[in-house]
Amino acid sequence: MSNYPLVSIVVLNWNGLEDTKECLESLAKLDYPNYEVIVVDNGSTDGSKDFLSNAKHIILVDLPDNTGFTGGHIAGLQK
């Protein structure tokens, strides 16, 4: 995989479980061989945290509160 640099994809979620599921299904179809998916949950209360904590092939950043778009992306980039 040395010919393929690691690409990190940061996905933000805040009470958008169905949209996030659809996004993850789309990302799973990528044919690029060296990527990681970082999902930042911004304090969801809609069951997203339960789903994401059991999801495979993602790195979950579980924030206790909604830090907004910028705060969520910063947390994802730090991961």
Side-chain angles (χ1 to χ4, degrees):
M1 294 215 196
S2 60
N3 294 333
Y4 298 94
L6 177 63
V7 173
S8 298
I9 302 166
V10 178
V11 176
L12 295 181
N13 179 66
W14 180 67
N15 291 329
L17 178 57
E18 293 308 314
D19 290 335
T20 300
K21 283 181 182 179
E22 189 174 320
C23 179
L24 294 175
E25 288 171 7
S26 292
L27 291 173
K29 297 174 185 174
L30 290 173
D31 61 0
Y32 188 81
N34 194 18
Y35 70 94
E36 63 185 3
V37 177
I38 301 168
V39 180
V40 179
D41 186 82
N42 246 338
S44 293
T45 58
D46 68 342
S48 293
K49 289 181 184 280
D50 290 334
F51 172 80
L52 294 170
S53 66
N54 293 309
K56 295 182 172 137
H57 310 296
I58 69 164
I59 298 166
L60 176 60
V61 178
D62 185 2
L63 301 178
D65 299 305
N66 185 352
T67 61
F69 181 83
T70 303
H73 266 288
I74 290 170
L77 291 171
Q78 289 174 337
K79 188 65 174 176

